[in-house]
Amino acid sequence: MSRAAKDRTVDPVVVEIVQGALKACGDEMESVIVRTSMSPFIREKGDHFSGLTDRRARLLYTTNDRAGPGMIETIWEKYPAQCMRPGDVYWMNDPYLLRGAISHSPDMCFIAPAFLGETLIGYSLCFGHFWDVGGARPGSISPSATDIFQEGIAVPQVRIVAQGELNDDLYRLILRNSRFPDMLEGDTRAMMAATRIGQSRLVELFERYGAEQIEACFEELLLRSEKVVRSHIARYSRSGRFRFADYVDDDCVTETPYRIELAVDIDGDEVRLVDGSGSDDQAKGPINYILHPDICRMMLSRFLLRDDRTAFQNQGAYRVVEEVKLRPGSLLQPTRPAPLGLRAHTLHRFLNAVLGVFAQATAGGTPAGSPDYVIVIMHTLDAQSGKYVLCTDGLGVGQGARPFADGLDVIYSRRQKNYPMEFLENTYTMRIEHFGIAADSGGPGQYRGGLGIVRDYRMLADNVTLATRMANRKTPPWGVNGGMAGRTGSIIVNPGQADERRIAGFSDGIKLARGDLVRIISTGGGGYGDPLAREVARVEDDVADGFVTLEAALADYAVIIDPATLSADLAATARERAQRQAERAIAPPFFDRGPQFEALEQARQERRAASGASGER
């Protein structure tokens, strides 16, 4: 039991000050990264993280609720705490050495110990998704990769700064492995500057209040988050074992879908077991995801903290989750050198499986399923200068509807941003000719799933190579509590022209010429609740806004709207809804998995039977 739990002498005012100081420090670190980094992924999109831990590497504060644990413990394996000195900064990005604390090569992390005099008091840490770290393709992420060596340089535990002195020889070696060394240098120096901010702010706290009082506050903050999570489980979740499964469409290099299976044991106010060992064997392509056990715990506790926004996602929040069971050689625990670049698609299916588990445990107290964000990568080589031009663009999708409201429309990532159109057109040789809502993409429900987008890119350069990342085409985001699954997206080159071609969701090496148009239609989120219970006025508004077509208003919601006035015929709508209710043989299912899910399950069973061994593909 913590010191703060044994006696309540810790000053509650100081606890609040310390909590605010930790958040302010994390925010300041983020500001330094944004203002001084160079790559669009970090500066424009915000694909980075900052965090603080105590001297025992217990996470105190994180700006990303899926990052933080495991980094420092890996550094200790080569540089034990007693060997660290003031002014040190440690660097690494090897996902296998980090055991999933960082889960693909472009995410490079920096760790700096903080000292009060000669006494180690905590750690400042951060990571960013870097524009290019080498590998087979510009951007270091290729859907066609079949091993980790094709995904860029792997940096093991290194002391890049020793007592304030940069290891320039090592630094130049790492920069030399990037196609964009100036951008990599700018970003890495931004990260190192951010860690120094964290160091100094921790020292200031200890100098102001003393080590004993600050460490007591840390214990209190950990306990506070633990109590919030325990309270949520006890209040809303039934005890028992709950299972959920989802699929990644394929592994990019084969057409075989990969299944993520999750079982969770809930007992009172605790999660006794999270079991992902039933997931499929690791993939040949780059969808493998090394799931660090503590990050797995965070994925559960992030949902359970929603009742109290003042409680931090710290180690106290996720220590309520006891055992995490994963199987070596599986999609969630691949063995080196399996490729990892597109691990986000497996990560998002795992997150949706966590929601699916809690949807059952709470009798529908969660949002519906959400799709993975979409990424398109376009690059070319300037033959005259020998320099690469690279555009990696992330596109928004619709989020799952909530038990009380429609899903959010056009979200790239909860904590990241889309590129402004002006930035894209001013930076790259392309023109955005259309950007709008994908009508009818959200899953129908009492609360509609969030909507995806339609975006058209016109190529203004020669010899462009396209790679695509769009999942959820075989398994759309699920609807819940009577809601229907979201509608899947598509990728089309030169739509409506004689040379029109449809592109696979995961593809690489697609050749584009000057003047070609690439259209992306992204997926919508799942719906929540019976679509026949949706307020007629909401359907009218959706039609007026162009979010739902007249045809879908009738087909999905049984709402009859006059095409001239865009007003609903209330009497005719009431008759239509009453007739559909009477014709229903059974109530809508709790989960709507879309038209292909059962076929995928059946095909998987047949493959397993043919292999003659459980778990083999």
Side-chain angles (χ1 to χ4, degrees):
M1 184 178 291
S2 68
R3 177 186 182 277
K6 291 177 182 177
D7 67 78
R8 311 304 296 175
T9 58
V10 59
D11 187 338
V13 175
V14 178
V15 173
E16 296 300 321
I17 292 172
V18 170
Q19 183 179 37
L22 292 173
K23 183 180 185 306
C25 176
D27 292 346
E28 187 178 4
M29 292 169 69
E30 296 283 275
S31 295
V32 168
I33 292 170
V34 170
R35 292 174 181 174
T36 60
S37 61
M38 294 181 64
S39 69
F41 245 54
I42 296 175
R43 187 186 70 247
E44 298 290 340
K45 282 192 177 295
D47 194 349
H48 51 82
F49 140 87
S50 299
L52 300 163
T53 79
D54 68 3
R55 57 187 171 82
R56 294 157 59 187
R58 296 183 302 176
L59 186 66
L60 300 171
Y61 180 74
T62 172
T63 60
N64 183 325
D65 56 12
R66 296 193 302 273
M71 298 180 191
I72 296 166
E73 292 88 340
T74 304
I75 296 295
W76 281 345
E77 292 173 7
K78 292 296 181 182
Y79 299 94
Q82 59 268 28
C83 298
M84 294 179 172
R85 296 293 181 266
D88 286 355
V89 179
Y90 300 86
W91 181 3
M92 71 181 302
N93 79 324
D94 189 317
Y96 285 100
L97 289 176
L98 282 156
R99 299 176 186 84
I102 293 294
S103 52
H104 68 171
S105 301
D107 288 346
M108 290 191 165
C109 65
F110 294 80
I111 295 97
F115 287 83
L116 183 63
E118 295 298 317
T119 303
L120 180 64
I121 58 173
Y123 295 86
S124 167
L125 55 157
C126 62
F127 81 69
H129 181 130
F130 291 92
W131 196 238
D132 181 272
V133 295
R137 295 281 191 183
S140 310
I141 296 178
S142 168
S144 60
T146 54
D147 67 47
I148 191 74
F149 300 105
Q150 297 168 352
E151 297 178 339
I153 189 171
V155 181
Q157 306 96 319
V158 299
R159 183 156 39 196
I160 191 65
V161 180
Q163 299 184 64
E165 292 293 324
L166 177 69
N167 185 334
D168 187 63
D169 290 341
L170 176 59
Y171 192 47
R172 288 186 295 106
L173 184 152
I174 296 171
L175 297 181
R176 184 67 176 172
N177 278 271
S178 173
R179 296 173 178 85
F180 302 89
D182 292 344
M183 200 174 287
L184 181 60
E185 180 174 8
D187 289 346
T188 52
R189 288 188 181 277
M191 295 287 155
M192 288 187 276
T195 61
R196 288 194 288 273
I197 290 290
Q199 283 176 320
S200 63
R201 298 297 178 258
L202 280 174
V203 171
E204 288 170 6
L205 269 180
F206 275 75
E207 287 177 337
R208 181 176 181 182
Y209 293 106
E212 184 177 359
Q213 186 164 206
I214 289 296
E215 291 191 347
C217 290
F218 289 169
E219 294 289 352
E220 179 64 24
L221 292 172
L222 295 174
L223 183 62
R224 180 181 296 179
S225 295
E226 179 181 347
K227 286 180 175 179
V228 170
V229 172
R230 288 189 183 278
S231 174
H232 189 286
I233 297 173
R235 182 177 179 184
Y236 295 111
S237 297
R238 296 181 289 122
S239 293
R241 167 164 281 214
F242 304 93
R243 295 179 179 275
F244 198 86
D246 209 342
Y247 282 87
V248 183
D249 285 356
D250 57 63
D251 70 348
C252 311
V253 298
T254 74
E255 295 185 358
T256 303
Y258 280 76
R259 188 175 192 266
I260 293 94
E261 181 178 303
L262 180 64
V264 175
D265 289 349
I266 298 174
D267 183 9
D269 65 352
E270 292 184 327
V271 176
R272 296 288 189 186
L273 173 67
V274 180
D275 186 355
S277 62
S279 299
D280 282 346
D281 291 348
Q282 68 187 54
K284 182 178 180 180
I287 63 167
N288 299 292
Y289 174 45
I290 308 174
L291 179 57
H292 190 285
D294 278 348
I295 292 178
C296 175
R297 293 180 173 95
M298 291 179 79
M299 290 182 183
L300 275 77
S301 61
R302 69 197 288 267
F303 169 73
L304 299 168
L305 281 169
R306 64 181 184 170
D307 280 353
D308 187 344
R309 298 298 184 185
T310 67
F312 284 169
Q313 172 63 288
N314 54 32
Q315 191 181 68
Y318 61 80
R319 66 189 177 196
V320 172
V321 182
E322 294 187 359
E323 182 182 0
V324 175
K325 184 178 180 182
L326 302 167
R327 179 170 60 87
S330 71
L331 197 63
L332 301 178
Q333 283 291 286
T335 55
R336 192 173 186 263
L340 308 170
L342 275 65
R343 90 292 185 237
H345 298 287
T346 299
L347 182 159
H348 280 98
R349 292 309 93 211
F350 186 86
L351 284 171
N352 272 261
V354 170
L355 270 187
V357 162
F358 280 111
Q360 298 168 70
T362 61
T366 71
S370 297
D372 309 352
Y373 53 70
V374 177
I375 291 182
V376 290
I377 304 169
M378 293 164 277
H379 60 85
T380 187
L381 178 64
D382 187 320
Q384 193 168 24
S385 66
K387 292 184 177 181
Y388 284 94
V389 178
L390 169 68
C391 175
T392 302
D393 192 15
L395 287 81
V397 294
Q399 301 300 293
R402 295 160 287 179
F404 55 87
D406 292 346
L408 299 175
D409 303 318
V410 193
I411 299 296
Y412 168 64
S413 178
R414 187 181 62 81
R415 59 180 305 276
Q416 296 177 24
K417 299 177 290 185
N418 298 306
Y419 290 147
M421 296 301 97
E422 296 82 358
F423 169 80
L424 282 172
E425 293 187 336
N426 287 333
T427 307
Y428 305 109
T429 49
M430 64 173 61
R431 183 169 62 243
I432 307 301
E433 296 194 348
H434 178 81
F435 182 30
I437 289 291
D440 302 334
S441 55
Q446 179 181 3
Y447 298 109
R448 171 183 49 74
L451 298 161
I453 63 163
V454 181
R455 181 181 290 180
D456 290 349
Y457 302 85
R458 180 74 69 181
M459 298 299 106
L460 302 179
D462 297 309
N463 302 317
V464 177
T465 300
L466 171 71
T468 62
R469 291 176 53 183
M470 177 185 286
N472 307 109
R473 298 174 81 174
K474 296 178 182 176
T475 52
W478 40 271
V480 67
N481 206 22
M484 298 177 66
R487 274 60 187 276
T488 57
S490 59
I491 304 168
I492 311 168
V493 174
N494 295 329
Q497 304 301 311
D499 59 347
E500 174 181 313
R501 49 185 166 143
R502 290 185 174 266
I503 306 300
F506 295 137
S507 65
D508 200 357
I510 306 298
K511 298 301 181 181
L512 301 174
R514 182 188 295 265
D516 281 349
L517 185 138
V518 179
R519 174 167 295 167
I520 309 293
I521 304 173
S522 68
T523 302
Y528 186 98
D530 186 349
L532 298 184
R534 185 165 177 80
E535 295 177 15
V536 173
R538 288 179 177 269
V539 180
E540 284 182 317
D541 287 345
D542 279 347
V543 171
D545 290 337
F547 293 173
V548 172
T549 62
L550 287 167
E551 296 77 13
L554 176 58
D556 295 334
Y557 297 101
V559 175
I560 300 170
I561 294 180
D562 185 309
T565 65
L566 298 185
S567 297
D569 184 328
L570 298 180
T573 295
R575 289 193 298 272
E576 179 70 19
R577 287 186 162 185
Q579 181 179 343
R580 292 198 193 182
Q581 289 281 14
E583 291 173 351
R584 279 178 173 170
I586 57 174
F590 185 73
F591 289 118
D592 177 29
R593 306 306 305 269
Q596 297 189 59
F597 184 78
E598 292 303 324
L600 289 173
E601 291 280 80
Q602 180 62 35
R604 180 176 182 271
Q605 291 300 321
E606 291 172 359
R607 287 195 304 271
R608 288 163 61 92
S611 71
S614 175
E616 294 184 6
R617 299 189 63 78

